[in-house]
Amino acid sequence: MEENSMTPHAKRAYSRLFLFIVLIAAIVSSSSRIIVHAAVKVPDTIRVAFFINLGANKYQLLTSAATLQSAGGLNLVWRDPKVSLPAGSIPAGQSVRFAMDGYRVLILETAELNAAISVLKKVQASSSAAFVTQLSKNGKTVYQVTEGNYSSAAGANSALTKWTNAGVASGIQTLLSPRIAGPWAVEAGPYASVAEAKATADQIGNSSGLDAFPALKPIDGTLNYVVRIGQETDSSVLAAVQQAASAAGALNVRVPAAGEPYAAIRNDMTYNGSANKPVPLYAIPSGAGAVLRAEPAGAGGIQLIERSKRTYRGNMEMSVLNQSLAVVNEVDFEQYLYSVVGAEIGSKWPIEAQKAQAVAARSYALSSGMGYQIAHVVDTTLSQAYYGIGYENANATAGVNQTAGEVLTMGGKAVKAVFSSNSGGITADSKIEIWGGDNSYLASAVPSPDEGPQNGRLDWYHVALPSGQAGYIRSDLLADSGQDHANGAKLLRVTGDGTAVRSSPRVVSTVEPIARIGSGTLVVELGKVAEYSDYSWIEAPMTPEQLLASINKRAKNDITGPLLTLEVSKTGPSGRATEIKANGIAVNVGVPDNLRGALNGLKSTLINIEETGRFTILNGSEEQREIHGQTGSLHVIGGDGQAEAISGPNLYIMDGNGQLRAATSTPKFVISGKGFGHGVGMSQWGAKALAEQGYDYQYILKYYYKNVLIEKDA
C-alpha cells in the first residue's frame, strides 16, 4: 500500500475544506427550507360549486337558472353515468341558459312580447325564478310567463294562488287561464338534427295548440333529438296528449318512462327581454343523473352571469341535485389557486406572502376531499374566495407557480390549513375559542404582527357635543383650544364648517352623521381611538332590540326581553369571547365562533362590550346602587342643592379617577374589538408583515402551523 504523499500544508487545507463542506451540509440540513418529496397527490383538477343544494341544515346556495357565455364560443357535452357525448355548440359571445325542468306557475300566455316583459318585471320584483318562453302555437308566436322551479305540483299550486291573487297579469289579454306547468310530456322522434326537431315542434304547436319543444335524448349510446309535447303536472293525462300529438302529425309518439334522461330546449326571452333575441335554455329533469357540460371553444374563460358576471377558467357542469339546479366549475387545480390567492390577499403584497397563501390554500383545498358531494369546495369564503380570472394577478400567479404542488401535511395527509384576514395581534385557539376539534397543527395564542391595516390612518376623537350627544370626529378636523372643561377634560375646537360627527370612528357613505357642527365649536374630549379597520374597530352603539333579535335568531335558548345587560362572561387563551351572558343568562350558540353572528355580525370574537346604560352610583348615604335599565327616573343634585330628573338619552359620568365617561339613560351597547375573521391558523396580514421583515414563506407557514411538513406532489 503506497504511503500518503500530501504535505502538512496540503493536509491542513484539505481538512479546512472538508470541515467547510461538513458545516455547509449541517446548515442546509437544519434549515427550514426543506421540501419533502412524498406520496402526497395533488389532483390535476378541482371541482368548485357555485350553486348547490346539499339539503336542509346543510350548505344551500340556490339559483333558478345559470346563464353562460364565452368570447370564443362554447361546446356542449352531454354526460350521464353511461355516456359522454357532444351536444352542440354556442357561437362566440352568445348566451346559453340552464334550469331544472320542474313545476312552474304559468301566469300568462300572450302574443305580445312587451306585455309578457311587463308581467315578467312585476314578478321579478319578488321572485328570482321568473321566465319568459317563446314558442309557436295555433299559427302564431306566443310568450309564456312562468314563475318558479318547484319540486312538486303542490308547491307550484300554492304559488299559483299567490300570483293569481296578486293580479300581476290583470288588464293583459291572455290566451289561457293561469295554470301549473309540469315536467310530464310525451315524446316524438327521434330526428336527425336540432333544426328538424325544432321545425317539428313548431308544426305540432301550430296545428294542435300543444306546447312542444325540441329536446336532447340519449338512445342506445348516441345522442338524439326528440320533441317533447306537453307541460303536464302528472302522467294521468299523457295518453290524451299522445293521441292529440299523433293527430297533429307527430311520428313515433310515446310516453317515456319516469326517470328517462332528457334536456328540453326552450327559447328563453328572460335574459335578452325586449331585444327579441331568444336564448336557448336547457331544462334538465331531476332524478335522471344527466349533466350538461359547457367547455370553452376558444381562448378565454366562461362568464357566469348569476355569479356577478365573473369569468372563470375551466368547464362548467349543470345538473340537478336535491331538486335544485347545481352549477360546478371543474378547473385546473393550480389555475384555481391563481384566482384564490389573487382574491384572498393584495396584489402588491410581498412574494413570500403570496407563496405562503398559495401553499395554505392548496393544502386547505386538498384536505377538503369531495366535501360538497359533487364538488370539493365552494367559491365563497366558507371554503376560499374564488372569483375567477378577473381576480388573478402576476404576483399571485408567481406565488402559485413557485410553490407548485407544495402542501402542508401531518402524518402523510394534507392539513386543513385554515386562515383568516387579520387575527387582531394574536391567533385564536381553535379547540377552545372557535370550532373545537383537532388543534394540534394550529398555532394557539401566538403573537401576530397584524397592525398593517392601521398604517396611514388617522386617529379619531370620541367627543361630547354641546347638545349632549356623543360621537366621533377625525383628528385632523379638530385642534386643541387650550381650554379645559370644568371637570378637567380637554376642550377641542372644530376647524371646519359642517364637520361630521359619526357614530363610530369611520366614514360610511351610506350612513348619515349623527350631527354636523360648525367651525369654532368646542367639544369635550372623552378619548382618542384608532380609525375603524380590520385590525381595530368600534361598532356604532346598538340598541337592546337589535341585539336581542340577533341573539335569539341564533341562540338555542331564547333570551326573554327586554335586554338589560350583556357581557363577556368567559374568554379563551387569546382573550377571545367563548361565552356571553344576556340578562345574566349564558347564551348557547353552539361553537364560540357563532357569537360573531349572534352579536349582529361582528368582525371577530376578540371583543369588549361596553354597557353604556350600566353604571354604579353612590347615594347620599354612601350606599352603592347599580343602574342598568331599571324602572323609574334618575335624578342628579346640582351645586345649588336642587334635584333634577335626567330627561335626555345621554349623560356623562366622572369616575373615582377623574375620567369622564359617556353613558346613556337607557341600555345601549358599544362593542369594540380586534381582528377580522375567526383568527385560526395563518393571519394574512401577519404573513404580509413577516414577509416584509424578511422571512420566507416556509418560516411564515411553520410560524402559524405547528408540527407540519411541507411536502411536494410526487
Side-chain angles (χ1 to χ4, degrees):
M1 184 174 180
E2 187 173 296
E3 186 176 340
N4 192 321
S5 60
M6 293 179 68
T7 66
H9 176 77
K11 287 181 178 179
R12 287 195 298 272
Y14 178 82
S15 298
R16 286 195 299 271
L17 177 62
F18 179 76
L19 181 62
F20 178 75
I21 292 171
V22 170
L23 181 61
I24 290 296
I27 291 172
V28 170
S29 66
S30 64
S31 168
S32 67
R33 295 184 61 80
I34 293 179
I35 299 172
V36 180
H37 290 263
V40 176
K41 176 60 180 173
V42 179
D44 294 334
T45 61
I46 186 170
R47 293 175 61 83
V48 187
F50 294 119
F51 299 101
I52 194 168
N53 178 11
L54 297 185
N57 301 319
K58 297 181 181 179
Y59 186 83
Q60 292 180 317
L61 190 60
L62 309 182
T63 185
S64 59
T67 309
L68 309 180
Q69 62 181 35
S70 178
L74 294 167
N75 291 322
L76 302 183
V77 178
W78 172 283
R79 295 181 61 189
D80 64 31
K82 296 181 180 179
V83 295
S84 178
L85 303 166
S89 61
I90 304 299
Q94 293 192 22
S95 300
V96 59
R97 307 193 80 204
F98 302 86
M100 182 183 81
D101 194 19
Y103 295 88
R104 308 175 306 287
V105 182
L106 206 170
I107 298 172
L108 172 72
E109 183 176 295
T110 177
E112 298 295 330
L113 176 59
N114 289 340
I117 297 300
S118 174
V119 174
L120 172 74
K121 291 178 178 178
K122 292 179 184 178
V123 176
Q124 285 176 327
S126 57
S127 173
S128 60
F131 299 86
V132 174
T133 303
Q134 179 196 73
L135 64 163
S136 295
K137 292 176 69 174
N138 298 317
K140 63 178 75 172
T141 299
V142 300
Y143 304 93
Q144 292 181 344
V145 181
T146 60
E147 188 279 329
N149 252 324
Y150 299 95
S151 59
S152 68
N157 196 57
S158 295
L160 174 62
T161 302
K162 166 190 169 182
W163 294 114
T164 302
N165 291 341
V168 292
S170 59
I172 297 176
Q173 184 176 4
T174 182
L175 300 175
L176 50 76
S177 299
R179 63 179 178 86
I180 303 300
W184 294 88
V186 300
E187 290 181 355
Y191 300 94
S193 66
V194 66
E196 184 179 347
K198 186 180 185 313
T200 302
D202 290 346
Q203 179 258 314
I204 293 170
N206 284 328
S207 61
S208 66
L210 295 170
D211 299 339
F213 305 95
L216 295 173
K217 182 86 172 183
I219 302 175
D220 298 330
T222 62
L223 195 60
N224 293 266
Y225 295 97
V226 298
V227 174
R228 288 183 62 84
I229 306 160
Q231 299 185 92
E232 309 305 326
T233 57
D234 57 56
S235 60
S236 63
V237 298
L238 293 186
V241 175
Q242 180 182 22
Q243 185 176 2
S246 298
L251 301 176
N252 304 321
V253 182
R254 57 183 288 270
V255 177
E260 286 188 19
Y262 67 88
I265 308 172
R266 302 181 186 136
N267 282 339
D268 184 80
M269 305 295 295
T270 314
Y271 182 57
N272 283 331
S274 57
N276 202 21
K277 295 179 181 178
V279 169
L281 183 148
Y282 289 79
I284 307 168
S286 62
V291 175
L292 279 173
R293 182 183 181 101
E295 302 174 346
I302 300 176
Q303 184 183 57
L304 176 56
I305 300 299
E306 287 75 16
R307 219 70 184 113
S308 301
K309 298 184 178 180
R310 296 178 186 135
T311 300
Y312 298 88
R313 295 177 182 268
N315 308 310
M316 295 288 179
E317 288 189 356
M318 281 60 61
S319 61
V320 174
L321 180 66
N322 291 326
Q323 299 294 322
S324 300
L325 182 69
V327 182
V328 174
N329 179 208
E330 186 172 67
V331 59
D332 177 273
F333 202 117
E334 299 298 307
Q335 292 179 349
Y336 158 75
L337 294 174
Y338 294 167
S339 177
V340 170
V341 177
E344 287 284 357
I345 63 175
S347 62
K348 296 182 180 179
W349 285 19
I351 186 63
E352 296 304 314
Q354 306 283 345
K355 289 154 74 173
Q357 180 66 62
V359 176
R362 187 182 294 110
S363 305
Y364 180 91
L366 187 60
S367 72
S368 299
M370 197 64 77
Y372 290 85
Q373 194 166 333
I374 58 173
H376 299 96
V377 292
V378 294
D379 67 320
T380 70
T381 53
L382 189 63
S383 294
Q384 304 178 116
Y386 171 59
Y387 301 148
I389 294 172
Y391 281 75
E392 296 177 10
N393 62 75
N395 215 13
T397 299
V400 174
N401 290 342
Q402 290 177 31
T403 61
E406 293 181 29
V407 180
L408 295 171
T409 68
M410 176 181 280
K413 296 182 179 180
V415 302
K416 205 172 193 69
V418 292
F419 48 85
S420 65
S421 175
N422 190 298
S423 62
I426 186 167
T427 64
D429 183 291
S430 176
K431 189 172 186 178
I432 297 173
E433 297 177 320
I434 306 299
W435 305 305
D438 181 18
N439 203 35
S440 59
Y441 63 94
L442 297 167
S444 169
V446 300
S448 183
D450 294 318
E451 302 86 353
Q454 220 62 52
N455 293 340
R457 294 176 183 263
L458 294 170
D459 288 332
W460 289 59
Y461 283 103
H462 191 205
V463 299
L465 308 183
S467 65
Q469 293 174 290
Y472 296 88
I473 301 177
R474 205 171 59 204
S475 59
D476 61 331
L477 302 174
L478 293 169
D480 188 348
S481 71
Q483 305 175 56
D484 291 336
H485 191 269
N487 60 31
K490 184 180 294 185
L491 289 173
L492 302 173
R493 178 173 49 82
V494 175
T495 58
D497 284 327
T499 295
V501 184
R502 307 280 178 177
S503 58
S504 67
R506 60 170 168 168
V507 176
V508 181
S509 60
T510 56
V511 177
E512 279 297 307
I514 61 175
R516 290 189 182 274
I517 53 180
S519 177
T521 303
L522 295 179
V523 296
V524 181
E525 179 187 341
L526 301 174
K528 183 186 279 190
V529 300
E531 185 172 74
Y532 190 107
S533 74
D534 287 349
Y535 173 67
S536 178
W537 44 270
I538 300 174
E539 296 294 349
M542 291 184 241
T543 66
E545 293 77 19
Q546 282 177 302
L547 283 169
L548 187 64
S550 184
I551 289 170
N552 284 340
K553 184 177 180 181
R554 295 163 178 82
K556 298 179 181 180
N557 56 318
D558 276 4
I559 302 300
T560 303
L563 183 64
L564 300 179
T565 65
L566 183 68
E567 58 192 322
V568 174
S569 47
K570 290 183 183 178
T571 59
S574 75
R576 284 169 168 79
T578 58
E579 179 190 86
I580 61 169
K581 285 185 176 179
N583 291 343
I585 300 170
V587 178
N588 182 4
V589 292
V591 297
D593 191 52
N594 291 343
L595 290 172
R596 286 196 283 163
L599 294 175
N600 213 31
L602 297 181
K603 295 171 82 71
S604 83
T605 54
L606 189 55
I607 59 170
N608 177 66
I609 302 175
E610 180 186 358
E611 302 170 289
T612 63
R614 186 174 186 176
F615 43 90
T616 302
I617 60 175
L618 291 174
N619 65 15
S621 305
E622 297 293 317
E623 295 174 339
Q624 289 189 359
R625 181 183 177 192
E626 187 166 316
I627 308 297
H628 51 82
Q630 80 297 329
T631 58
S633 59
L634 186 66
H635 290 70
V636 296
I637 299 178
D640 57 1
Q642 297 299 311
E644 182 179 348
I646 296 176
S647 58
N650 302 296
L651 61 150
Y652 297 89
I653 302 169
M654 185 174 290
D655 63 21
N657 298 318
Q659 296 296 312
L660 196 62
R661 176 194 167 201
T664 53
S665 57
T666 57
K668 280 196 176 181
F669 306 91
V670 176
I671 303 180
S672 58
K674 292 286 188 71
F676 183 23
H678 49 68
V680 177
M682 186 176 73
S683 165
Q684 292 167 325
W685 277 97
K688 176 180 184 286
L690 290 173
E692 289 170 343
Q693 293 169 24
Y695 294 101
D696 68 13
Y697 75 101
Q698 294 188 41
Y699 177 91
I700 295 169
L701 290 168
K702 291 188 176 182
Y703 184 82
Y704 289 108
Y705 307 102
K706 302 300 183 182
N707 309 312
V708 297
L709 294 175
I710 301 176
E711 299 193 36
K712 190 173 179 67
D713 179 9

